[in-house]
Amino acid sequence: MGKYNLDLHDDSLDEISLNKYGDKIYVSGDDASLWNRFYDGYRKIQCLSDETRKKLEGFEKEHPDTENEDFDQVEGVIKSRTEFCEKAIAIIDDIFGAGTARKSFREYYESIPGFIPDENKFAAFFDVMSPIIEDIFKRKMDRDKKESKQRMEKYKPQEHKKPQRKGAK
C-alpha cells in the first residue's frame, strides 16, 4: 500500500487586520470567487446608494419647505438611510464573512448602543479595502506567472533525433 501526502499549503492566504483590537479576516487570491464577491458587493452598494439618493430627493420634492420640516419627511429620510446602512452591512458580511462589518467598526459598536455605520463609514471601508484586494490579485497574477514559467521549465522539449528504420544502414 502506498502512502501519499497532498500538501497544497502555500503562502497565498492573506491576513487583513480590521481594527486595533486584533480582529482579522483571511482571504486568498486563490479563491476564485473573491474578486467577483468584492466587485459585485461594491456595485450593489453603489446601486443602493443611488436608490437611496433618489428616495431622499423624492422626500425633498414632496416637502420643499425645508425650514419647517415635518415629522414624515424626517422619518422618511432616517428610515431610508438606515435601510441603506443595514443592507450595506449584509453586503460586506457576504463578501468577507459574517461579522466583518461589526469587527471593522468594533469600537463604535462597543461604545454606542444600537450603532449602525453610516454611508461615510462604508465609503471609508471600501477606500481602504479596494487597494488591498487589488494588491492581493496583483501578487496572485505575479505568482501564477512565475509558477507557470517554472512548470514549463520542467517540460522543455528534448532534442529529438529522427527515428531510424530497423535494418537500414
Side-chain angles (χ1 to χ4, degrees):
M1 167 171 68
K3 253 185 151 179
Y4 303 93
N5 181 10
L6 181 64
D7 183 11
L8 298 176
H9 175 75
D10 58 21
D11 62 350
S12 67
L13 189 62
D14 292 292
E15 177 183 280
I16 301 172
S17 295
L18 298 175
N19 57 41
K20 66 183 181 181
Y21 303 103
D23 290 321
K24 299 172 179 133
I25 56 172
Y26 295 90
V27 296
S28 173
D30 291 335
D31 177 352
S33 69
L34 176 62
W35 180 251
N36 288 334
R37 288 192 326 264
F38 183 78
Y39 180 74
D40 290 346
Y42 183 79
R43 296 289 298 151
K44 285 178 187 175
I45 287 179
Q46 283 183 325
C47 289
L48 275 173
S49 178
D50 291 343
E51 289 171 18
T52 302
R53 186 174 49 250
K54 287 176 186 174
K55 281 184 189 177
L56 297 178
E57 288 169 359
F59 288 126
E60 287 175 9
K61 286 179 184 176
E62 289 175 22
H63 307 275
D65 185 11
T66 55
E67 288 181 23
N68 298 315
E69 293 177 342
D70 63 15
F71 182 76
D72 291 337
Q73 179 184 7
V74 172
E75 182 183 33
V77 168
I78 291 170
K79 281 185 177 181
S80 293
R81 289 185 68 223
T82 303
E83 285 173 13
F84 166 84
C85 296
E86 289 171 342
K87 289 176 182 177
I89 290 168
I91 290 168
I92 287 175
D93 286 355
D94 286 346
I95 298 169
F96 297 105
T100 300
R102 182 173 274 288
K103 292 173 190 173
S104 298
F105 306 111
R106 180 176 169 181
E107 184 173 9
Y108 296 96
Y109 277 101
E110 290 182 355
S111 301
I112 304 169
F115 176 77
I116 298 175
D118 71 2
E119 303 89 343
N120 295 323
K121 291 291 180 206
F122 295 112
F125 177 89
F126 279 99
D127 285 347
V128 173
M129 191 61 79
S130 294
I132 292 170
I133 297 299
E134 289 170 6
D135 183 62
I136 288 168
F137 279 97
K138 180 187 179 309
R139 288 185 297 109
K140 160 90 173 131
M141 299 300 286
D142 292 345
R143 188 174 58 248
D144 285 355
K145 188 176 179 179
K146 180 181 171 184
E147 289 173 1
S148 177
K149 186 177 178 180
Q150 289 171 343
R151 273 193 295 276
M152 292 307 291
E153 290 292 322
K154 289 181 190 177
Y155 301 107
K156 279 194 173 179
Q158 304 296 319
E159 285 189 34
H160 295 284
K161 295 181 182 177
K162 251 184 168 179
Q164 298 287 324
R165 283 198 233 172
K166 290 186 180 181
K169 290 192 178 183

